[in-house]
Each structure stands twice: as C-alpha cells, then as structure tokens.
Amino acid sequence: MDTLWFNIVQWLHTLGLHVDGGTARAVGDAAATATARLDMPSLLALAAALGWASGFRLYAVVFLVGMMGVLGWMPLPPGLAMLQHPLVLMVSGCMLMVEFFADKVPWVDSAWDAIHAFIRVPAGAALAYGVFGADNATMAVVAGLLGGSLSATALATKMTTRAAVNTSPEPFSNWGLSFFEDGLVVAVVWLATQYPVAFGVALVVMVVVSVLLLMVLFKFLRAVVRRLSSFFSGSPGVA
C-alpha cells in the first residue's frame, strides 16, 4: 500500500500537484480502514454489482473498479487488488475501447456477445468471488455463484434485447440501447458502493424486468442463435 501511494504522489508531482508524504500516508490509512469496515451488506452488494455489470460490459467493469481503487475513490478488497495493476488497467482499457465500438454495430454486437458468453459469466463469478477472497471461503463461494448467475442473466437479457432491436433497419435504436448499457454499468457500480441497500432494491427490480424481457422476447434470442450458428458454420441463414 505504501508503494502504491508513493507512486501516486510521484505521478501527481509530474503534473505539478505537490502532496506531502504525510498526507498521502493519511489517505492510504483511511482507505485501509474503510476496507476493514466494509460490512456484509456492502460486500454482498459489491459482489452482486460486479457480477451483474459484467454481463453487460466486462472490460468496463474491470477498468472502472481498478481505476476507482488507484484513485482512492473506493477501497478495494484484497481479492480485487490486482485490478489496480497497471498491466490489468492497460489491457482492460484497450478492450473497453474495442468493445465500446463493436457494441454500436448491429449484429456485430450480437456476435461479440456470443463469443464473450464464455468469458463474461466465469469472469463475473471470479470478480464476485474476489470480493471475499480466501479469508472467507464460504461467502466467497456464495458470492461467486451469485455473481455468475447474475452475469448470465444480464448477458441473456442483453443478447435478447439486442436481437429484437437489430431487426430494425435503422441503427439509432441500437446506439441508444448501447449507450444506455454504458451508463447502466457505471450507475450500478456507483450505487452498490455508495448505497448498498438501495442497490439491493434496484437489483431485484432489474432481475424481474430481465425475466419479463426474456419471456416476451425469447423468440428473438432463438433467431440470433440461428443466425450466428449459420454465420460460423458458413451455411445460408434460416429465415
């Protein structure tokens, strides 16, 4: 922790912002104390938020949480400390930009989501698991199962609604939905870290809405699965 804050102070000095070592150490100690005081509802809210948001934007979640930790906006549990590593931030930031633009192109977004279905769900489970880490193995397993389930639900909802929107010939509805998802990820992480109880209520509402959308728009999900299967197999699409 001391090394991290020393590096931040050095970086601030290069920008012309001079912070003495005592102030930096005080901020670091406060962050460590805040981490130690995270109660069970706060940790569960964070785990659920990471799982749910990963189903929409995995790389954005990794980059956002990592930067929040580096800047001291949110003390990260030890199991998530690796998200602050410069290499993790660099890779997640690059992939965030790729995903941002891929998600704005009709049908390319569905193909991207289909490929990342094998990445987002286990990653969402792993991030949720990391909230508790090895210090509380029982709750870590519970959080991992919760995060994976929420990530799968969010991903299925995203793919289903995108399949429905992609049937429209104009791209504007696709863009609007994509930007909405960008904002939703930020809002979910912020709400979970600032108001865990309110996030719990919001999460219940989002899950109920997701289930309803999956029931109503299931035929569109089947359509996108058929189209993607035809694309990857090289056979003509089925109408």
Side-chain angles (χ1 to χ4, degrees):
M1 181 64 72
D2 290 340
T3 302
L4 173 63
W5 286 107
F6 174 78
N7 292 334
I8 293 176
V9 170
Q10 292 295 104
W11 176 69
L12 291 174
H13 284 176
T14 63
L15 299 179
L17 300 175
H18 300 286
V19 180
D20 61 272
T23 301
R25 181 178 294 276
V27 174
D29 292 342
T33 302
T35 300
R37 291 180 178 177
L38 286 175
D39 55 11
M40 188 60 67
S42 299
L43 292 172
L44 284 173
L46 179 59
L50 296 181
W52 177 262
S54 294
F56 289 101
R57 296 282 193 279
L58 171 61
Y59 304 115
V61 170
V62 173
F63 182 80
L64 176 63
V65 174
M67 285 303 300
M68 290 175 72
V70 169
L71 298 175
W73 295 348
M74 181 182 74
L76 299 186
L80 298 178
M82 78 290 292
L83 301 184
Q84 301 175 141
H85 193 282
L87 182 59
V88 175
L89 289 173
M90 181 180 68
V91 173
S92 62
C94 291
M95 293 304 298
L96 183 159
M97 295 304 300
V98 173
E99 185 170 65
F100 178 84
F101 291 104
D103 198 68
K104 304 297 184 293
V105 182
W107 294 114
V108 172
D109 59 345
S110 294
W112 181 271
D113 289 337
I115 295 172
H116 282 78
F118 302 99
I119 302 175
R120 291 179 185 170
V121 175
L127 289 173
Y129 181 94
V131 171
F132 291 91
D135 293 336
N136 193 338
T138 300
M139 287 306 303
V141 172
V142 171
L145 294 173
L146 174 66
S149 299
L150 290 174
S151 180
T153 302
L155 176 62
T157 305
K158 172 181 169 62
M159 294 182 66
T160 302
T161 53
R162 284 304 182 89
V165 170
N166 284 337
T167 60
S168 174
E170 47 81 24
F172 302 107
S173 54
N174 184 287
W175 296 345
L177 186 57
S178 181
F179 281 118
F180 171 77
E181 292 169 1
D182 293 333
L184 180 63
V185 169
V186 177
V188 162
V189 174
W190 176 83
L191 188 63
T193 56
Q194 301 300 315
Y195 305 100
V197 177
F199 167 75
V201 175
L203 179 63
V204 172
V205 173
M206 289 188 293
V207 170
V208 171
V209 171
S210 293
V211 172
L212 292 176
L213 284 174
L214 289 172
M215 293 173 61
V216 173
L217 303 176
F218 183 71
K219 64 177 181 179
F220 291 101
L221 180 61
R222 289 189 300 178
V224 73
V225 170
R226 289 198 302 268
R227 175 173 291 217
L228 290 173
S229 299
S230 300
F231 174 79
F232 287 115
S233 65
S235 61
V238 180

